[in-house]
Amino acid sequence: MTMKNALTLRNLYILLCAAVLVLIGVKGYDMNRKIDWVATAGQYYDRKDLINAEEWYQKAAANRSIRYKEDLIASRLKELEPITSMRQSLSRLDQRAETAARNRDFDGLMNVYADLVAAKKEYMAASQPLAAYYPKISAMYGISEDLTKDFKQFQSLFYQQAKDQLAQGDVNDNAFKWNLLAIPAEFYGGAEAKSKQLNGKFQSYDEALMARMAGAGQYQNMLDWSLSMMTEYKS
């Protein structure tokens, strides 16, 4: 073996040893982290802070660097499964709400609201042992605040549609009315506030549109439109 080959092999050996030492160091770091995470989770659990306890037990369970208190971790996560389910459900709903708002998908946002109402009913049922944690987890995601903001934006959008249609004399599209009616009353400040606001907006819109048709001498169109509105309002 030549001196050059010997040096090359020696360098490779040194590099391999260095790589092994790095891997051992990383492994040891991950092992210590898992031990610390289990201890942290236990502290939260003992303080009855089950939301943080679940988060840290999940982190520990995902760390496969060492088998450490696996039975305890599995047992605690099974006990805390309702919190895991709440987190996952609300996270998905929050993402869907964000997507619907970004894409101006009103039907999609209405579906999110319906699913949120169903989730709240499920997780806050009297039979649910960890029901008290649902409002806290919901607040963490801020989904109620996001929905309020998103529905307010849709209200503004639909009111603008009404103005645009009035300016164009469009008498055939009343979708904005039904969309405004579909928005839950809580986003208007209650059923009474919703009724008062929409009745005033719709009355102003209808009167302005009728005045526009009358001014243009479109009496037959005005009559047909009036009869159509009477039918829709009765339905």
Side-chain angles (χ1 to χ4, degrees):
M1 179 182 295
T2 65
M3 180 64 71
K4 182 178 180 181
N5 290 337
L7 289 174
T8 301
L9 290 174
R10 182 171 177 272
N11 290 338
L12 286 174
Y13 177 73
I14 292 173
L15 288 174
L16 286 173
C17 289
V20 169
L21 289 174
V22 170
L23 290 174
I24 291 174
V26 172
K27 180 80 170 179
Y29 175 71
D30 285 341
M31 291 166 62
N32 287 330
R33 285 207 303 175
K34 180 166 185 173
I35 293 171
D36 289 342
W37 290 347
V38 173
T40 299
Q43 292 170 3
Y44 281 123
Y45 183 86
D46 291 340
R47 295 201 297 263
K48 306 300 181 184
D49 186 349
L50 301 188
I51 295 175
N52 279 313
E54 186 270 346
E55 179 182 354
W56 285 95
Y57 278 126
Q58 289 287 2
K59 289 167 69 73
N63 187 327
R64 301 296 183 181
S65 62
I66 183 177
R67 289 191 59 80
Y68 176 73
K69 295 189 176 182
E70 300 298 324
D71 290 342
L72 172 65
I73 294 171
S75 174
R76 291 284 167 81
L77 285 177
K78 183 177 181 180
E79 177 187 348
L80 299 174
E81 193 279 332
I83 288 179
T84 303
S85 181
M86 291 177 196
R87 280 182 182 274
Q88 294 173 344
S89 178
L90 288 172
S91 177
R92 288 192 296 267
L93 286 171
D94 192 46
Q95 292 173 6
R96 286 172 53 197
E98 182 180 348
T99 299
R102 183 173 61 251
N103 296 335
R104 290 192 173 185
D105 179 4
F106 180 67
D107 290 338
L109 194 65
M110 288 296 297
N111 289 335
V112 171
Y113 175 79
D115 290 343
L116 179 64
V117 171
K120 183 177 181 180
K121 182 178 180 180
E122 175 186 353
Y123 291 123
M124 294 194 69
S127 58
Q128 173 56 257
L130 300 179
Y133 289 91
Y134 178 84
K136 298 178 183 178
I137 297 174
S138 178
M140 287 168 52
Y141 287 98
I143 190 168
S144 295
E145 291 79 4
D146 290 343
L147 284 177
T148 298
K149 172 178 63 67
D150 295 339
F151 275 120
K152 289 293 184 183
Q153 290 176 345
F154 273 112
Q155 287 176 16
S156 298
L157 174 64
F158 297 143
Y159 286 142
Q160 186 59 49
Q161 287 178 355
K163 291 180 180 179
D164 294 342
Q165 289 176 203
L166 186 60
Q168 297 166 9
D170 185 354
V171 301
N172 297 316
D173 188 359
N174 289 298
F176 75 90
K177 290 184 178 180
W178 305 117
N179 287 336
L180 286 166
L181 287 167
I183 295 176
E186 65 187 272
F187 300 109
Y188 288 93
E192 184 176 350
K194 175 181 179 179
S195 178
K196 182 178 181 180
Q197 181 179 150
L198 293 186
N199 284 341
K201 292 286 186 179
F202 292 170
Q203 181 177 350
S204 296
Y205 173 84
D206 292 348
E207 290 175 351
L209 189 58
M210 291 177 66
R212 179 186 176 91
M213 286 188 285
Q218 299 172 340
Y219 298 112
Q220 185 59 51
N221 288 343
M222 184 173 67
L223 178 60
D224 294 341
W225 180 85
S226 298
L227 293 174
S228 175
M229 284 300 96
M230 289 177 61
T231 302
E232 287 194 17
Y233 288 147
K234 288 180 181 179
S235 63

